[in-house]
Amino acid sequence: MSPRLGIYVQVPFCQTKCTYCNFHTGVVSSARFSPYVEAVCREIRGHRELYRAARVGLPEGFAKAVVDTVYIGGGTPSLLEPGLLLGMMEAIRETFRTELSEVTLEADPETVEVGKAAAWVRAGINRVSFGLQSFSDKELAAAGRMHRRADIYRAVPILREAGIRNISFDLIAGLPYQTETSWKESLEELGRLEPEHVSVYLLEVDEGSRLGKELLAGGERYSAGAVPGDDEMADFYETASAFLGAAGYHHYEISNWAKPGFRSRHNLKYWRREAYLGFGAGAHSFSGAERWANAHDAAEYVGGMEAGRIPVEQWEEVTRERALEEELFLGLRQLDGIDVARIEREYGVALGARIGPLQSAGLVERDGNLLRLAPGKVSISNEVFVELMR
Ligand code: SF4
């Protein structure tokens, strides 16, 4: 069978900046959308020559690879005119051998319209991932989101009517004003809309977002004083896990749950260390031997592409030691666990010294050759990973 390849396309534009957002996205005039998409299409079509000039090597097998998943993320790619999305999909189909089984578009509920949804389906999009975060208008407003609860209830039937059979919802545990009651209400409303896939993220507190900075500084702006504590967030996560399990969702990755047959095929490539190419500003790629990322700044990216060169901002050769760390780190994110025997065989290592202390501390459990996070330790996975990488 020909090797499989995933393609990620980054669209770094949003209508406003959410207070908790730590992504490299910007609020720009819609006049900049079309030149950006042109640059992305140029990168897709010319990627082999562009990589060669930037000294990024593609393994031999890539020429025969078949693209089976596409993920158009951001930012808010659903802001783009459907014609621009179609143009990117055409560039992919004309450049690569494709057998597309999963084509995801990230969307915000307020951007969904009947005409757009029909055009998305015509472009080949068959999965929509909604950044809905909460069903509480108070929490959405405090987080700086554009949509409200009513937009979610308006958008989902439009997508279903257009023929989208695979919808994913994102929720964030830890938004300002979130309480145990409001969190349970969001979960119940989610259950009523029956998405095929659900992602639950904990609020990230870091210097990369306005809210994160304010929390670290102990300030009150952006409703920082109303952010739930770490223990509450961990409880929200456990509540979600129990709720989703009872509702028929399979917990397959730390932050992800799916109805049978609806695991995200594209995102599984990241966790399984399978190859993917990323196009657009800040997009990351992995060839199996190298990882690299384009310049985050959209203007710098477009300028580079107009000048006929790809602005690669980060590049890393994946050494054997690094690959082993990735196997453990990414493998343990998956609830099925990792095959210790395979890793020991492929990397010629004995993992006992790394795993033993974690097992004794009750952080991981072993089932034959399979190693996985222990039940109840999934929400503290970062601490497990820190121990593992020591
Ligand atoms: S919509 Fe998403 S990417 Fe855009 S600002 Fe909000 S959190 Fe960030």
Side-chain angles (χ1 to χ4, degrees), residues 14 16-18 20-21 23 25 74-76 108 145:
C14 291
T16 56
K17 190 79 178 169
C18 305
Y20 60 84
C21 180
F23 298 133
T25 58
T76 310
D108 281 359
R145 297 289 312 189

